Amino acid sequence: FLLLSENLAIVTIPAFLLCFKRGIQQQKTLYFLLAGLLLGVSTLTRPTLIPFCIFFVISLPFVLKSKQIFISN
């Protein structure tokens, strides 16, 4: 069993998407923080995901504004 970067990315990317989705649905800061942490781990394991991070950071305010979500505890 080899622990390669692809194996970690297979777990962290779907976990990021799940936390981000739950953060939008439940409007909890904890889910957004966890999503950011998972996205950071994903980019450390697979640097090719950096453009995805840039897209995420740029699109986040638009997604939250269109759903009229204000991040709070």
Side-chain angles (χ1 to χ4, degrees):
F1 176 73
L2 293 174
L3 186 61
L4 300 174
S5 63
E6 291 85 8
N7 297 340
L8 290 174
I10 288 171
V11 174
T12 56
I13 293 169
F16 154 73
L17 293 171
L18 179 66
C19 288
F20 184 65
K21 178 186 170 199
R22 286 198 180 162
I24 289 174
Q25 289 175 342
Q26 297 181 8
Q27 300 181 14
K28 300 265 183 174
T29 306
L30 178 64
Y31 287 117
F32 287 109
L33 292 175
L34 189 56
L37 178 71
L38 287 168
L39 187 60
V41 169
S42 296
T43 56
L44 287 175
T45 59
R46 300 293 299 166
T48 56
L49 294 173
I50 291 175
F52 181 70
C53 293
I54 294 170
F55 173 74
F56 169 71
V57 169
I58 291 172
S59 66
L60 180 63
F62 296 110
V63 169
L64 296 178
K65 186 177 179 183
S66 69
K67 297 218 179 253
Q68 296 182 352
I69 294 175
F70 301 101
I71 301 174
S72 64
N73 291 331

